[in-house]
Amino acid sequence: AQSVAQPEDQVNVAEGNPLTVKCTYSVSGNPYLFWYVQYPNRGLQFLLKYITGDNLVKGSYGFEAEFNKSQTSFHLKKPSALVSDSALYFCAVTPQRGGNNRLAFGKGNQVVVIP
Amino acid sequence: DTEVTQTPKHLVMGMTNKKSLKCEQHMGHRAMYWYKQKAKKPPELMFVYSYEKLSINESVPSRFSPECPNSSLLNLHLHALQPEDSALYLCASSQEGRNSNQPQHFGDGTRLSIL
């Protein structure tokens, strides 16, 4: 079965500083990996995904993520954080074969960007 | 604005009531999902429909009854709910059901409170 670990509960960062949200995964075979963001009183919004190819994936709102197969990681990054990036971030994985539309979500990371 | 529309946004009901949650998408997606989400937690998969047929039921109690009248609509019928069923109920959709590399698109949810 697939699983995701997001080791930190909360990530605090000063506005303008780089933001990193960590994610490691476990899956049989090769993964499809996703990052979602959830703002208060909203549903999850898709940020970016890794399918195959380049390990560095660029997504919405200036976010990017780097796939590292040897470390089974898919950390989310943004070079310069904005106060509006404060939200709950979820990493999710499904296997490329036999996923059956089941996404395994991490527990989520609350990001707080301090003005 | 999200492309998946859920109604109502808020619902308060007693344990003996019958109500329904509705979800609609016009993106031509053929997979639709119901999730339950508690505050600050990841979404928990409840049901998946693929081409209007129920493909996954994650051992959800029978007091929750899903229905997919057509490829654009998804309902969740509620009856005799318990206080622990209070949560945010999210609907999502994605392209072709077995192609797990496509992101799921989420609605903003129905916040359900059971008295």
PDB file of all heavy atoms in Angstrom, chain B residues 7 13 15 18 21 26 28 35 44 50 52 57 62 72 74 81 90 93-94 99 103 114:
ATOM      1  N   THR B   7     -23.326  21.811  -3.390  1.00  0.00           N
ATOM      2  CA  THR B   7     -24.407  22.448  -2.639  1.00  0.00           C
ATOM      3  C   THR B   7     -25.012  21.452  -1.658  1.00  0.00           C
ATOM      4  O   THR B   7     -25.035  20.236  -1.930  1.00  0.00           O
ATOM      5  CB  THR B   7     -25.518  22.947  -3.586  1.00  0.00           C
ATOM      6  OG1 THR B   7     -25.986  21.851  -4.389  1.00  0.00           O
ATOM      7  CG2 THR B   7     -25.004  24.063  -4.465  1.00  0.00           C
ATOM      8  N   MET B  13     -28.202  19.244  10.496  1.00  0.00           N
ATOM      9  CA  MET B  13     -29.305  18.298  10.504  1.00  0.00           C
ATOM     10  C   MET B  13     -29.310  17.489  11.793  1.00  0.00           C
ATOM     11  O   MET B  13     -28.266  17.289  12.432  1.00  0.00           O
ATOM     12  CB  MET B  13     -29.271  17.368   9.295  1.00  0.00           C
ATOM     13  CG  MET B  13     -27.993  16.589   9.092  1.00  0.00           C
ATOM     14  SD  MET B  13     -27.966  15.679   7.529  1.00  0.00           S
ATOM     15  CE  MET B  13     -29.125  14.355   7.846  1.00  0.00           C
ATOM     16  N   MET B  15     -30.203  13.903  13.898  1.00  0.00           N
ATOM     17  CA  MET B  15     -29.805  12.519  13.646  1.00  0.00           C
ATOM     18  C   MET B  15     -30.891  11.714  12.948  1.00  0.00           C
ATOM     19  O   MET B  15     -30.614  10.662  12.372  1.00  0.00           O
ATOM     20  CB  MET B  15     -29.384  11.854  14.959  1.00  0.00           C
ATOM     21  CG  MET B  15     -28.044  12.357  15.480  1.00  0.00           C
ATOM     22  SD  MET B  15     -27.404  11.418  16.858  1.00  0.00           S
ATOM     23  CE  MET B  15     -28.461  11.977  18.174  1.00  0.00           C
ATOM     24  N   LYS B  18     -33.253  13.172   6.897  1.00  0.00           N
ATOM     25  CA  LYS B  18     -32.700  12.701   5.619  1.00  0.00           C
ATOM     26  C   LYS B  18     -32.383  13.928   4.779  1.00  0.00           C
ATOM     27  O   LYS B  18     -33.248  14.785   4.590  1.00  0.00           O
ATOM     28  CB  LYS B  18     -33.714  11.839   4.864  1.00  0.00           C
ATOM     29  CG  LYS B  18     -33.956  10.465   5.418  1.00  0.00           C
ATOM     30  CD  LYS B  18     -34.898   9.696   4.495  1.00  0.00           C
ATOM     31  CE  LYS B  18     -35.162   8.301   5.034  1.00  0.00           C
ATOM     32  NZ  LYS B  18     -36.059   7.534   4.140  1.00  0.00           N
ATOM     33  N   LEU B  21     -26.417  15.718  -0.300  1.00  0.00           N
ATOM     34  CA  LEU B  21     -25.393  16.632  -0.780  1.00  0.00           C
ATOM     35  C   LEU B  21     -25.286  16.449  -2.284  1.00  0.00           C
ATOM     36  O   LEU B  21     -25.390  15.326  -2.792  1.00  0.00           O
ATOM     37  CB  LEU B  21     -24.039  16.321  -0.132  1.00  0.00           C
ATOM     38  CG  LEU B  21     -24.003  16.201   1.394  1.00  0.00           C
ATOM     39  CD1 LEU B  21     -22.562  16.010   1.858  1.00  0.00           C
ATOM     40  CD2 LEU B  21     -24.655  17.390   2.060  1.00  0.00           C
ATOM     41  N   HIS B  26     -18.650  20.137 -15.039  1.00  0.00           N
ATOM     42  CA  HIS B  26     -18.878  20.167 -16.480  1.00  0.00           C
ATOM     43  C   HIS B  26     -17.557  20.185 -17.214  1.00  0.00           C
ATOM     44  O   HIS B  26     -17.406  20.866 -18.236  1.00  0.00           O
ATOM     45  CB  HIS B  26     -19.741  21.386 -16.838  1.00  0.00           C
ATOM     46  CG  HIS B  26     -21.133  21.302 -16.297  1.00  0.00           C
ATOM     47  ND1 HIS B  26     -22.078  20.446 -16.808  1.00  0.00           N
ATOM     48  CD2 HIS B  26     -21.729  21.938 -15.264  1.00  0.00           C
ATOM     49  CE1 HIS B  26     -23.203  20.569 -16.129  1.00  0.00           C
ATOM     50  NE2 HIS B  26     -23.020  21.464 -15.183  1.00  0.00           N
ATOM     51  N   GLY B  28     -16.209  17.293 -18.244  1.00  0.00           N
ATOM     52  CA  GLY B  28     -16.151  16.053 -19.004  1.00  0.00           C
ATOM     53  C   GLY B  28     -15.405  14.942 -18.279  1.00  0.00           C
ATOM     54  O   GLY B  28     -15.007  13.953 -18.905  1.00  0.00           O
ATOM     55  N   TYR B  35     -15.159  12.555  -0.506  1.00  0.00           N
ATOM     56  CA  TYR B  35     -14.217  12.488   0.602  1.00  0.00           C
ATOM     57  C   TYR B  35     -14.864  13.085   1.845  1.00  0.00           C
ATOM     58  O   TYR B  35     -15.681  13.997   1.758  1.00  0.00           O
ATOM     59  CB  TYR B  35     -12.958  13.313   0.311  1.00  0.00           C
ATOM     60  CG  TYR B  35     -12.023  12.774  -0.710  1.00  0.00           C
ATOM     61  CD1 TYR B  35     -12.165  13.081  -2.065  1.00  0.00           C
ATOM     62  CD2 TYR B  35     -10.937  11.984  -0.334  1.00  0.00           C
ATOM     63  CE1 TYR B  35     -11.265  12.608  -3.007  1.00  0.00           C
ATOM     64  CE2 TYR B  35     -10.028  11.508  -1.273  1.00  0.00           C
ATOM     65  CZ  TYR B  35     -10.195  11.826  -2.607  1.00  0.00           C
ATOM     66  OH  TYR B  35      -9.296  11.359  -3.530  1.00  0.00           O
ATOM     67  N   GLU B  44     -10.358  11.858   3.615  1.00  0.00           N
ATOM     68  CA  GLU B  44     -10.484  10.387   3.651  1.00  0.00           C
ATOM     69  C   GLU B  44     -11.426   9.966   2.532  1.00  0.00           C
ATOM     70  O   GLU B  44     -12.583  10.424   2.486  1.00  0.00           O
ATOM     71  CB  GLU B  44     -11.079   9.938   4.991  1.00  0.00           C
ATOM     72  CG  GLU B  44     -10.273  10.319   6.216  1.00  0.00           C
ATOM     73  CD  GLU B  44     -11.052  10.060   7.492  1.00  0.00           C
ATOM     74  OE1 GLU B  44     -11.944   9.174   7.491  1.00  0.00           O
ATOM     75  OE2 GLU B  44     -10.794  10.741   8.495  1.00  0.00           O
ATOM     76  N   SER B  50     -16.617   5.558 -11.473  1.00  0.00           N
ATOM     77  CA  SER B  50     -15.908   5.605 -12.736  1.00  0.00           C
ATOM     78  C   SER B  50     -16.910   5.279 -13.839  1.00  0.00           C
ATOM     79  O   SER B  50     -17.540   4.208 -13.806  1.00  0.00           O
ATOM     80  CB  SER B  50     -14.760   4.593 -12.748  1.00  0.00           C
ATOM     81  OG  SER B  50     -14.063   4.623 -13.973  1.00  0.00           O
ATOM     82  N   GLU B  52     -19.834   6.477 -14.237  1.00  0.00           N
ATOM     83  CA  GLU B  52     -21.132   6.415 -13.571  1.00  0.00           C
ATOM     84  C   GLU B  52     -21.388   5.114 -12.815  1.00  0.00           C
ATOM     85  O   GLU B  52     -22.507   4.890 -12.342  1.00  0.00           O
ATOM     86  CB  GLU B  52     -22.294   6.650 -14.557  1.00  0.00           C
ATOM     87  CG  GLU B  52     -22.300   8.056 -15.170  1.00  0.00           C
ATOM     88  CD  GLU B  52     -21.690   8.056 -16.549  1.00  0.00           C
ATOM     89  OE1 GLU B  52     -22.301   7.495 -17.461  1.00  0.00           O
ATOM     90  OE2 GLU B  52     -20.586   8.605 -16.705  1.00  0.00           O
ATOM     91  N   ASN B  57     -15.916   1.563  -2.676  1.00  0.00           N
ATOM     92  CA  ASN B  57     -16.628   1.928  -1.457  1.00  0.00           C
ATOM     93  C   ASN B  57     -15.678   1.572  -0.327  1.00  0.00           C
ATOM     94  O   ASN B  57     -15.405   0.397  -0.095  1.00  0.00           O
ATOM     95  CB  ASN B  57     -17.940   1.151  -1.348  1.00  0.00           C
ATOM     96  CG  ASN B  57     -18.683   1.414  -0.042  1.00  0.00           C
ATOM     97  OD1 ASN B  57     -18.111   1.885   0.940  1.00  0.00           O
ATOM     98  ND2 ASN B  57     -19.961   1.102  -0.022  1.00  0.00           N
ATOM     99  N   SER B  62     -23.681   2.365   5.919  1.00  0.00           N
ATOM    100  CA  SER B  62     -24.806   2.445   4.987  1.00  0.00           C
ATOM    101  C   SER B  62     -25.667   3.684   5.186  1.00  0.00           C
ATOM    102  O   SER B  62     -26.530   3.970   4.349  1.00  0.00           O
ATOM    103  CB  SER B  62     -25.679   1.196   5.119  1.00  0.00           C
ATOM    104  OG  SER B  62     -26.178   1.095   6.443  1.00  0.00           O
ATOM    105  N   SER B  72     -22.175  14.099 -15.027  1.00  0.00           N
ATOM    106  CA  SER B  72     -21.867  15.422 -14.467  1.00  0.00           C
ATOM    107  C   SER B  72     -22.273  15.569 -13.011  1.00  0.00           C
ATOM    108  O   SER B  72     -21.864  16.534 -12.363  1.00  0.00           O
ATOM    109  CB  SER B  72     -22.587  16.507 -15.270  1.00  0.00           C
ATOM    110  OG  SER B  72     -22.173  16.513 -16.604  1.00  0.00           O
ATOM    111  N   LEU B  74     -23.144  14.081  -9.000  1.00  0.00           N
ATOM    112  CA  LEU B  74     -22.872  13.102  -7.955  1.00  0.00           C
ATOM    113  C   LEU B  74     -23.625  13.548  -6.713  1.00  0.00           C
ATOM    114  O   LEU B  74     -23.555  14.719  -6.330  1.00  0.00           O
ATOM    115  CB  LEU B  74     -21.371  13.039  -7.671  1.00  0.00           C
ATOM    116  CG  LEU B  74     -20.869  11.950  -6.728  1.00  0.00           C
ATOM    117  CD1 LEU B  74     -21.097  10.564  -7.332  1.00  0.00           C
ATOM    118  CD2 LEU B  74     -19.394  12.155  -6.418  1.00  0.00           C
ATOM    119  N   LEU B  81     -27.632  10.028  10.581  1.00  0.00           N
ATOM    120  CA  LEU B  81     -26.217  10.256  10.849  1.00  0.00           C
ATOM    121  C   LEU B  81     -25.949  10.407  12.338  1.00  0.00           C
ATOM    122  O   LEU B  81     -26.859  10.682  13.129  1.00  0.00           O
ATOM    123  CB  LEU B  81     -25.738  11.487  10.095  1.00  0.00           C
ATOM    124  CG  LEU B  81     -25.760  11.409   8.575  1.00  0.00           C
ATOM    125  CD1 LEU B  81     -24.941  12.536   7.971  1.00  0.00           C
ATOM    126  CD2 LEU B  81     -25.263  10.069   8.060  1.00  0.00           C
ATOM    127  N   LEU B  90     -16.148  16.658   0.795  1.00  0.00           N
ATOM    128  CA  LEU B  90     -15.586  17.166  -0.453  1.00  0.00           C
ATOM    129  C   LEU B  90     -15.927  16.240  -1.601  1.00  0.00           C
ATOM    130  O   LEU B  90     -15.824  15.020  -1.493  1.00  0.00           O
ATOM    131  CB  LEU B  90     -14.062  17.267  -0.333  1.00  0.00           C
ATOM    132  CG  LEU B  90     -13.514  18.296   0.648  1.00  0.00           C
ATOM    133  CD1 LEU B  90     -12.037  18.061   0.899  1.00  0.00           C
ATOM    134  CD2 LEU B  90     -13.739  19.706   0.140  1.00  0.00           C
ATOM    135  N   SER B  93     -13.403  15.461  -8.960  1.00  0.00           N
ATOM    136  CA  SER B  93     -13.539  14.762 -10.241  1.00  0.00           C
ATOM    137  C   SER B  93     -12.180  14.729 -10.923  1.00  0.00           C
ATOM    138  O   SER B  93     -11.290  15.535 -10.617  1.00  0.00           O
ATOM    139  CB  SER B  93     -14.572  15.453 -11.131  1.00  0.00           C
ATOM    140  OG  SER B  93     -14.106  16.718 -11.566  1.00  0.00           O
ATOM    141  N   SER B  94     -12.028  13.781 -11.844  1.00  0.00           N
ATOM    142  CA  SER B  94     -10.790  13.702 -12.611  1.00  0.00           C
ATOM    143  C   SER B  94     -11.090  13.075 -13.968  1.00  0.00           C
ATOM    144  O   SER B  94     -12.134  12.452 -14.165  1.00  0.00           O
ATOM    145  CB  SER B  94      -9.710  12.917 -11.877  1.00  0.00           C
ATOM    146  OG  SER B  94     -10.050  11.548 -11.769  1.00  0.00           O
ATOM    147  N   ASN B  99      -6.913   6.414 -15.296  1.00  0.00           N
ATOM    148  CA  ASN B  99      -5.669   7.118 -15.601  1.00  0.00           C
ATOM    149  C   ASN B  99      -5.255   7.937 -14.391  1.00  0.00           C
ATOM    150  O   ASN B  99      -5.565   9.123 -14.282  1.00  0.00           O
ATOM    151  CB  ASN B  99      -5.894   8.013 -16.817  1.00  0.00           C
ATOM    152  CG  ASN B  99      -4.597   8.519 -17.391  1.00  0.00           C
ATOM    153  OD1 ASN B  99      -3.528   8.184 -16.912  1.00  0.00           O
ATOM    154  ND2 ASN B  99      -4.696   9.348 -18.409  1.00  0.00           N
ATOM    155  N   PRO B 103      -4.757  14.947 -12.173  1.00  0.00           N
ATOM    156  CA  PRO B 103      -5.092  15.480 -10.849  1.00  0.00           C
ATOM    157  C   PRO B 103      -6.590  15.466 -10.610  1.00  0.00           C
ATOM    158  O   PRO B 103      -7.388  15.557 -11.543  1.00  0.00           O
ATOM    159  CB  PRO B 103      -4.560  16.916 -10.897  1.00  0.00           C
ATOM    160  CG  PRO B 103      -4.564  17.271 -12.341  1.00  0.00           C
ATOM    161  CD  PRO B 103      -4.257  15.997 -13.082  1.00  0.00           C
ATOM    162  N   ILE B 114     -23.995  17.674  12.634  1.00  0.00           N
ATOM    163  CA  ILE B 114     -25.055  16.784  13.108  1.00  0.00           C
ATOM    164  C   ILE B 114     -25.361  17.134  14.566  1.00  0.00           C
ATOM    165  O   ILE B 114     -24.471  17.109  15.415  1.00  0.00           O
ATOM    166  CB  ILE B 114     -24.640  15.310  13.006  1.00  0.00           C
ATOM    167  CG1 ILE B 114     -24.173  14.979  11.581  1.00  0.00           C
ATOM    168  CG2 ILE B 114     -25.796  14.391  13.430  1.00  0.00           C
ATOM    169  CD1 ILE B 114     -25.220  15.219  10.520  1.00  0.00           C
TER     170      ILE B 114
END
